[in-house]
Amino acid sequence: MGMLVERLRTRGWRMTPQRRVVAEVLEGRHGHLTAEEVHALARERLPEVSLATVYNTLNELAVMGEVLAVSASEGPKRYDTNVSEPHQHLVCVRCQALVDVHPVGQDTLGLPDAERHGYELLDVEVVFKGLCAECRTAEPERAPKA
Amino acid sequence: MGMLVERLRTRGWRMTPQRRVVAEVLEGRHGHLTAEEVHALARERLPEVSLATVYNTLNELAVMGEVLAVSASEGPKRYDTNVSEPHQHLVCVRCQALVDVHPVGQDTLGLPDAERHGYELLDVEVVFKGLCAECRTAEPERAPKA
DNA sequence: GTATATGCAAAGCATTTGCATTAAA
DNA sequence: TTTAATGCAAATGCTTTGCATATAC
């Protein structure tokens, strides 16, 4: 059984079959799944699990910092299980395929005081946009990829 | 009358009262308005204009590059009229107040080949997240600000 | 036993769309 | 006169919520 499930239980998270199965799906696949995809995979193991519960669980995991909700400008949110390693995203503008890229230009993290407008700076989100290899050649539309 | 309206007409854009009024609202206010806000302001001048038309018009302007659709992770899209000057955004995570900040760490625009995963790079979006001055002190929730 | 999670179905929000009507060119 | 834009209301896609039931602790 996964470390994620352990960690959550020790934090006093009430463990149910539904929550366990969601945690296991996330732990198994390191990807960028949508709520629907998590739901589909969770159902393979536990057919009764509802989409509402998947959403609730993903939101809780996000609050606990165990998962990162990535909102591409198009389409549904993706849930990123890679929370330990700092990274950024590269998204295909055509098919929404998403990959992790690793910090280059970390210096962007600094915004000079003169540019802070009184804000307390918490984070920077950097999203690279492009066309993935398949979309550079293909004509027809494709389904999004994790 | 604004230069925006002129420019659009010379590009062969069919000019209607609705479109003109939307263009004028955008030109008057340099801000980051939502579609609803644009609609409200447009109605002050032309009460019959519909929300659907505002959406259609904003989308067309975005395709023409006259406006930039900014999707904050929370809430509706903001339409940014500042398209000439390269800049980035700083968003309050609490009230969604949004300000422009000016390119620092432009070098982020480069993603080394080794990190490109076969993608053709088109753009980078950099969004700084923080707490605005008001939210740093205030307790109660506030309405979003342009 | 009690607090909390679940499933369902309905509501929500932002946005798009179909279609008959109207108006710009 | 032709081609395209409008308004409306309904449909869409994603996500949240209310509430009665079920269940982990």
Side-chain angles (χ1 to χ4, degrees):
Chain A
M1 185 193 312
M3 328 179 304
L4 177 53
V5 174
E6 309 273 83
R7 204 183 320 139
L8 293 169
R9 198 208 307 280
T10 54
R11 282 207 212 163
W13 205 45
R14 185 174 286 203
M15 191 54 65
T16 67
Q18 294 79 338
R19 287 178 169 185
R20 183 179 357 266
V21 103
V22 169
E24 285 171 1
V25 162
L26 293 172
E27 191 157 51
R29 285 225 180 190
H30 264 230
H32 306 88
L33 304 171
T34 63
E36 293 274 8
E37 287 165 346
V38 173
H39 186 217
L41 292 167
R43 275 195 164 175
E44 290 176 7
R45 292 158 169 261
L46 188 73
E48 311 72 30
V49 66
S50 75
L51 183 55
T53 294
V54 169
Y55 271 110
N56 289 337
T57 304
L58 288 171
N59 286 340
E60 284 154 15
L61 291 171
V63 168
M64 294 190 263
E66 293 290 351
V67 121
L68 197 73
V70 181
S71 40
S73 49
E74 288 300 294
K77 281 191 187 131
R78 306 309 192 82
Y79 295 88
D80 189 347
T81 47
N82 182 357
V83 289
S84 49
E85 177 197 30
H87 66 282
Q88 300 160 352
H89 295 118
L90 172 56
V91 190
C92 179
V93 297
R94 187 159 171 276
C95 74
Q96 263 68 56
L98 193 158
V99 297
D100 286 355
V101 291
H102 297 89
V104 216
Q106 268 285 30
D107 41 35
T108 333
L109 293 161
L111 183 66
D113 282 341
E115 289 282 355
R116 294 202 182 183
H117 300 263
Y119 283 56
E120 179 188 336
L121 198 58
L122 299 173
D123 194 20
V124 211
E125 248 177 41
V126 178
V127 180
F128 295 90
K129 312 246 172 171
L131 273 177
C132 74
E134 284 189 56
C135 288
R136 291 170 72 173
T137 51
E139 264 344 287
E141 299 281 82
R142 277 174 45 234
K145 250 193 181 169
Chain B
M1 182 193 313
M3 332 177 300
L4 176 52
V5 174
E6 309 273 86
R7 205 181 321 139
L8 292 169
R9 199 207 305 280
T10 53
R11 284 205 210 164
W13 205 45
R14 186 173 287 203
M15 192 54 66
T16 67
Q18 294 81 336
R19 287 178 169 184
R20 185 182 353 270
V21 103
V22 169
E24 285 171 1
V25 162
L26 292 173
E27 189 156 53
R29 283 224 180 191
H30 264 229
H32 305 89
L33 304 171
T34 63
E36 293 276 6
E37 287 165 346
V38 173
H39 185 217
L41 292 168
R43 275 197 164 174
E44 289 177 8
R45 292 158 168 259
L46 187 72
E48 311 71 30
V49 67
S50 74
L51 182 54
T53 294
V54 170
Y55 271 109
N56 289 336
T57 305
L58 288 171
N59 286 340
E60 284 153 16
L61 291 171
V63 167
M64 293 191 265
E66 294 289 351
V67 120
L68 197 72
V70 180
S71 40
S73 48
E74 288 300 294
K77 283 191 186 131
R78 306 308 192 83
Y79 295 87
D80 187 349
T81 47
N82 182 357
V83 289
S84 49
E85 177 197 29
H87 65 283
Q88 300 160 352
H89 295 118
L90 173 55
V91 190
C92 178
V93 297
R94 187 159 171 277
C95 75
Q96 264 67 57
L98 193 159
V99 296
D100 286 355
V101 292
H102 295 88
V104 217
Q106 269 285 30
D107 43 34
T108 335
L109 292 162
L111 183 66
D113 283 340
E115 289 281 355
R116 292 199 183 185
H117 300 264
Y119 283 56
E120 178 189 335
L121 199 58
L122 300 173
D123 194 20
V124 212
E125 249 177 42
V126 179
V127 180
F128 295 90
K129 313 246 171 171
L131 273 177
C132 74
E134 285 189 55
C135 288
R136 291 170 72 173
T137 51
E139 263 345 287
E141 300 281 81
R142 275 175 46 235
K145 248 193 183 172

